[in-house]
Amino acid sequence: MRVGLLGLGRIGAFHAATLAAHPLVDELIVADPVRTSPYGRPGDPFESDAVVIATPTGTHAELIIKACERGIPVFCEKPVAGTVPDTVKVLEASAGNRVQIGFQRRFDPGYMAAARALRAGELGELHRVHMVTADPAPPPAEYIATSGGVYRDCHIHDFDILRWVTGREVVSVYATGANRGAAFFAEAGDVDNSAALLTLDDGTLATLQGSRYNGGGYDVRMELAGTRRTQAVGLSPRAPLFTTEDLPSLEDPWPDFVTRFETAYRGEIDGFLTSDKSLCSIEDALEALYVAEAADLSLRERRPVEVAEVRR
């Protein structure tokens, strides 16, 4: 098949290499206003059998709709759009067209194994979940100013994977945050350290911690505590954790999200090319965005927020 790729930034360049090497891709057409790629040829990505969108967030909605108007299957990096109303608009415009959103943790072997174990009853009844997402260093100030805040930009991945692994919905959020680093976070109305308590629709409690300043390395983990056992995801020798116990020494910690989720990024592209249905739909992305909206409102108003409050 012929695949069009829009955007050749960090993740776009990774997708270009993945697409070029995929056995189903006969031709790759790439488009970026400032970058070039050794993979594929320049051209109109919409003259293709499928489109992959890895452009800046503000362009996603327009490009998804354009592809859907032409009846072309679409893979788009998260988010669908920057706001709930714009996401709903894209959802309505995409009716009948296959659109997959890039929440790559669904394709990580660890999260996939945890989901299988939970659904097979190996953990017993789930009572608690704990999640961590921590970057080793913050993004640039100009990125933070337009990111939408840590809960929409970063922790939306945690909200999506929480829904996907547990099969439950989040009904309430109590979020907080702190500024312990550069002034540009506070100036943008954002925080650089975060924590939240989420309640699922069956009463399960989930806790979340995050940071833009995790000096040890890139840290993404999940713990699922059931009545029979606790399952951990991401607790590998490359997790940036040091312990006083007599355990194997730490290997080189994960330096960034692309390295940590390399397998998952390849898996989501393979799933998009080989499946006849969306493996992470716009509806899924909207549900995660609702949780992020509730968390952001909770952070600003310093109170628990029901997710139903932010639904449109």
Side-chain angles (χ1 to χ4, degrees), residues 19-93:
L19 288 163
H22 198 282
L24 291 181
V25 178
D26 300 309
E27 184 178 14
L28 179 62
I29 301 172
V30 298
D32 188 290
V34 296
R35 304 176 182 90
T36 59
S37 172
Y39 305 102
R41 64 170 180 84
D44 182 358
F46 293 98
E47 294 182 354
S48 303
D49 303 304
V51 170
V52 174
I53 299 171
T55 53
T57 293
T59 65
H60 289 183
E62 177 184 357
L63 294 173
I64 293 172
I65 291 173
K66 183 176 180 179
C68 290
E69 288 175 344
R70 300 189 181 193
I72 306 171
V74 187
F75 173 94
C76 183
E77 283 297 331
K78 72 87 182 168
V80 174
T83 68
V84 167
D86 284 344
T87 302
V88 172
K89 178 182 177 181
V90 177
L91 176 61
E92 293 171 346

Side-chain angles (χ1 to χ4, degrees), residues 122-171:
E122 296 172 16
L123 279 62
E125 183 181 5
L126 184 66
H127 281 184
R128 292 176 290 108
V129 182
H130 180 59
M131 299 173 291
V132 175
T133 294
D135 296 322
E142 56 270 22
Y143 176 85
I144 292 299
T146 60
S147 69
V150 69
Y151 285 106
R152 294 187 190 90
D153 172 55
C154 178
H155 290 311
I156 196 167
H157 282 286
D158 296 290
F159 303 145
D160 176 73
I161 202 62
L162 177 63
R163 295 183 61 248
W164 187 77
V165 169
T166 65
R168 314 300 311 194
E169 299 294 346
V170 177
V171 295

Side-chain angles (χ1 to χ4, degrees), residues 154-242:
C154 178
H155 290 311
I156 196 167
H157 282 286
D158 296 290
F159 303 145
D160 176 73
I161 202 62
L162 177 63
R163 295 183 61 248
W164 187 77
V165 169
T166 65
R168 314 300 311 194
E169 299 294 346
V170 177
V171 295
S172 68
V173 186
Y174 196 1
T176 188
N179 294 102
R180 304 298 301 277
F184 61 74
F185 285 98
E187 291 168 356
D190 198 5
V191 295
D192 53 50
N193 281 270
S194 51
L197 172 64
L198 303 95
T199 303
L200 306 188
D201 56 10
D202 64 348
T204 298
L205 298 178
T207 53
L208 168 66
Q209 294 180 344
S211 178
R212 299 290 197 178
Y213 286 96
N214 196 58
Y218 184 66
D219 191 10
V220 172
R221 287 176 285 118
M222 173 183 262
E223 296 171 10
L224 299 146
T227 53
R228 296 183 62 186
R229 79 178 194 207
T230 297
Q231 184 88 33
V233 179
L235 195 60
S236 74
R238 296 197 70 181
L241 299 171
F242 288 84

Side-chain angles (χ1 to χ4, degrees), residues 173-175 294-295 297-306 309:
V173 186
Y174 196 1
L297 181 60
S298 177
L299 172 67
R300 288 186 283 109
E301 297 191 354
R302 299 177 179 272
R303 66 176 178 88
V305 172
E306 301 289 319
E309 292 183 45

